């Protein structure tokens, strides 16, 4: 219906209007489209935005073993000065080897002495002659001397090889072997008994939660983890303590790679002494004396640290001291979570559900530091605002 010239003018006007609207859109928003649209957080965008932290080497493993190796020890004689502890600390296959070796060498040594006495006296040559009185009857070779040494030290007494009264040197050797044999028995049996009864295996039934959490308790930020005991025989005089392990540089410029800082979990109030009958949640209040006082959620995600927890007590069955250890890396401390309850009241007793021992659930927690949270609480007019922040109604920076 329009002439070709009019259609060309209308098309040019439309293109100009499109360009004008596009320029106005850019002028108002001033951002590309891919930045104006809400971004969906993915693993790839997270890696691009923030480089991942390098995995930290544990100072204490989750099973309690210390990840420290002693190298270039020059004064190795110190281990021999405490020989009993050295034997107890050896691994089981080394212990069995040394246990067997000590007895065999002892029997061979005294067997050699008995054979030398028989050789010097001439019992090996004249032992079968009539009227000849040997030192030990029926001892005619080194093998028989070795067997007599075993019978003497173990008090077997088969009655075939017997020492005679006309051999004073044999009587003296018999006394020496009896005394030294008793000492060897006491040391080796004592080492094996202590090694068997060590309370290290008792620590296997002491549990620590896989994660530590940070959330609000009584309007205060708290760091929490859970401990439990699987046995019915309890740990007597149980106590717990925690250490913060992280690198530190002093004001003078000295670098301390693994500085240890105490974490107060109740040693000033007595809460560190536990009655560990059912699983307990250990709480550390983040106050001005806490190393986490100025750490917010964002800052804690950038920090590199390790929390070592140590549970000590006496085994009720043996009375020996037991120690269980575990640790939490910075990636294992979760902000804004709580532990799922595990204790329920049944008909006449309390039941612990260990299926939920490691379970946690998310809760409203302010992302600001405990110091900022305490600052917001100063003044009567800010009390309501602080409670709203704790409940997650408003943010810390509003």
């Amino acid at each position: 219906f329009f002439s070709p010239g009019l259609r060309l003018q209308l098309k040019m006007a439309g293109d100009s209007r499109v360009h004008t609207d596009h320029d106005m859109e850019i002028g108002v928003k001033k951002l590309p489209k891919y930045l104006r649209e809400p971004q969906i957080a993915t693993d790839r965008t997270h890696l691009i935005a923030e480089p991942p932290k390098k995995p930290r080497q544990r100072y204490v493993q989750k099973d309690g073993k210390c990840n420290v190796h002693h190298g270039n020890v020059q004064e190795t004689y110190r281990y021999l000065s405490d020989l009993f502890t050295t034997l107890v600390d050896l691994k089981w296959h080394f212990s069995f080897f040394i246990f067997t070796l000590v007895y065999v060498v002892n029997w061979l040594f005294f067997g050699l002495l008995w054979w030398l006495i028989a050789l010097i006296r001439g019992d090996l040559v004249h032992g079968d002659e009539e009227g000849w009185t040997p030192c030990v009857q029926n001892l005619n070779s080194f093998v028989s001397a070795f067997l007599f040494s075993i019978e003497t030290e173990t008090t077997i007494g088969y009655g075939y090889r017997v020492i005679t009264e006309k051999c004073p040197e044999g009587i003296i050797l018999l006394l020496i072997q009896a005394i030294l044999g008793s000492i060897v028995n006491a040391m080796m049996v004592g080492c094996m008994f202590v090694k068997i009864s060590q309370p290290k295996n008792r620590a296997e039934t002491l549990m620590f939660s896989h994660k530590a959490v940070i959330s609000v308790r009584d309007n205060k930020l708290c760091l929490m983890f859970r401990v439990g005991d699987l046995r019915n025989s309890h740990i007597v005089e149980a106590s717990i303590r925690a250490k913060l392990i992280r690198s530190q540089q002093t004001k003078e410029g000295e670098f301390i790679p693994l500085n240890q800082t105490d974490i107060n979990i109740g040693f000033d109030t007595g809460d560190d002494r536990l009655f560990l009958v059912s699983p307990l949640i250990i709480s550390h209040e983040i106050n001005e004396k806490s190393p986490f006082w100025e750490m917010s959620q964002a800052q804690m995600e950038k920090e590199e640290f390790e929390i070592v927890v140590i549970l000590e007590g006496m085994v009720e069955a043996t009375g020996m001291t037991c120690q269980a250890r575990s640790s939490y890396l910075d990636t294992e401390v979760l902000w804004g979570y709580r532990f799922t309850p595990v204790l329920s009241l049944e008909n006449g007793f309390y039941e612990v559900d260990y299926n939920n021992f490691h379970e946690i659930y998310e809760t409203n927690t302010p992302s600001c530091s405990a110091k900022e949270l305490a600052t917001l609480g100063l003044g009567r007019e800010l009390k309501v605002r602080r409670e709203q922040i704790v409940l997650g109604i408003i943010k810390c920076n509003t």
Side-chain angles (χ1 to χ4, degrees):
F1 297 93
F2 299 98
S3 62
L6 183 58
R7 285 199 300 268
L8 179 61
Q9 292 179 1
L10 291 174
K11 182 178 180 182
M12 293 174 63
D15 294 341
S16 177
R17 183 177 179 182
V18 170
H19 288 295
T20 303
D21 293 341
H22 182 68
D23 294 339
M24 290 178 62
E25 183 179 1
I26 294 177
V28 173
K29 297 186 178 180
K30 298 181 181 181
L31 289 174
K33 184 177 180 180
Y34 71 92
L35 290 178
R36 294 195 306 269
E37 294 179 352
Q39 299 295 313
I40 300 176
T42 62
D43 294 337
R44 184 175 179 182
T45 57
H46 180 72
L47 291 174
I48 296 175
E50 296 180 0
K53 292 195 300 185
K54 296 181 180 179
R56 177 185 173 89
Q57 184 67 47
R58 284 187 180 274
Y59 188 61
V60 176
Q61 301 290 346
K62 295 295 284 186
D63 58 359
K65 296 180 180 179
C66 297
N67 195 18
V68 178
H69 298 272
H70 300 283
N72 299 325
V73 179
Q74 302 295 332
E75 301 176 350
T76 55
Y77 65 89
R78 295 180 180 271
Y79 294 104
L80 298 178
S81 62
D82 189 10
L83 184 59
F84 185 82
T85 304
T86 303
L87 294 175
V88 172
D89 289 340
L90 290 176
K91 295 183 179 180
W92 273 108
H93 54 277
F94 286 119
S95 297
F96 283 123
F97 175 75
I98 292 178
F99 185 85
T100 306
L101 182 64
V102 168
Y103 276 107
V104 172
V105 170
N106 188 39
W107 295 334
L108 286 172
F109 173 73
F110 282 100
L112 179 62
L113 294 181
W114 287 113
W115 179 79
L116 288 176
I117 291 177
L119 179 64
I120 295 172
R121 286 175 55 90
D123 295 341
L124 300 180
V125 178
H126 307 286
D128 297 334
E129 298 179 1
E130 294 183 1
W132 183 268
T133 304
C135 182
V136 179
Q137 294 180 357
N138 301 316
L139 195 153
N140 49 23
S141 65
F142 177 77
V143 176
S144 60
F146 176 68
L147 294 175
F148 179 72
S149 175
I150 296 176
E151 295 173 15
T152 301
E153 189 163 332
T154 57
T155 65
I156 295 176
Y158 291 117
Y160 183 69
R161 281 173 285 271
V162 182
I163 189 172
T164 61
E165 66 276 4
K166 295 183 179 181
C167 183
E169 61 272 21
I171 296 175
I172 295 175
L173 182 59
L174 178 64
L175 294 175
I176 294 175
Q177 186 176 4
I179 295 173
L180 292 182
S182 300
I183 296 175
V184 171
N185 289 332
M187 178 174 290
M188 300 312 299
V189 173
C191 287
M192 298 302 292
F193 175 78
V194 172
K195 193 171 182 64
I196 292 173
S197 61
Q198 273 185 322
K200 291 182 179 180
N201 294 331
R202 180 63 176 88
E204 297 295 330
T205 54
L206 296 175
M207 297 178 60
F208 295 90
S209 58
H210 292 160
K211 305 290 183 181
V213 299
I214 294 179
S215 59
V216 176
R217 270 190 172 186
D218 297 328
N219 293 333
K220 296 178 182 178
L221 279 177
C222 295
L223 170 70
M224 293 170 285
F225 58 92
R226 183 147 58 186
V227 297
D229 188 4
L230 298 178
R231 288 191 179 274
N232 291 327
S233 58
H234 310 304
I235 298 294
V236 182
E237 296 292 332
S239 62
I240 193 165
R241 50 196 173 97
K243 293 279 187 179
L244 176 66
I245 310 294
R246 64 174 175 177
S247 301
Q248 181 182 357
Q249 189 169 6
T250 62
K251 297 180 180 179
E252 295 78 13
E254 180 187 3
F255 179 74
I256 306 175
L258 294 174
N259 184 53
Q260 299 185 11
T261 305
D262 279 330
I263 298 178
N264 187 356
I265 50 179
F267 55 81
D268 53 348
T269 60
D271 292 337
D272 61 328
R273 294 187 288 273
L274 309 178
F275 182 51
L276 196 58
V277 177
S278 61
L280 300 176
I281 297 177
I282 309 302
S283 176
H284 161 65
E285 180 184 335
I286 304 178
N287 52 26
E288 59 274 5
K289 296 181 180 180
S290 172
F292 307 104
W293 173 242
E294 298 181 355
M295 285 190 190
S296 62
Q297 181 179 3
Q299 185 178 0
M300 183 169 289
E301 292 176 354
K302 300 177 182 178
E303 291 286 337
E304 293 185 357
F305 59 87
E306 182 177 356
I307 300 174
V308 178
V309 293
I310 305 169
L311 176 62
E312 293 179 325
M314 291 189 300
V315 182
E316 188 178 31
T318 62
M320 302 182 70
T321 302
C322 172
Q323 184 181 94
R325 297 180 295 266
S326 187
S327 69
Y328 302 98
L329 294 178
D330 48 277
T331 56
E332 297 171 341
V333 179
L334 304 182
W335 192 290
Y337 286 85
R338 289 178 183 168
F339 285 103
T340 303
V342 296
L343 197 63
S344 61
L345 178 60
E346 301 297 332
N347 187 13
F349 61 92
Y350 293 96
E351 183 177 4
V352 179
D353 184 9
Y354 279 99
N355 289 329
N356 296 328
F357 183 84
H358 302 288
E359 297 296 325
I360 56 177
Y361 65 93
E362 194 170 1
T363 182
N364 291 327
T365 304
S367 60
C368 56
S369 64
K371 182 179 180 180
E372 295 173 348
L373 187 62
T375 303
L376 293 173
L378 296 177
R380 184 177 300 176
E381 66 279 0
L382 295 178
K383 183 177 180 180
V384 177
R385 185 183 177 189
R386 182 187 179 190
E387 293 178 353
Q388 291 176 346
I389 293 175
V390 170
L391 296 175
I393 299 176
I394 61 176
K395 297 182 179 179
C396 296
N397 53 4
T398 57

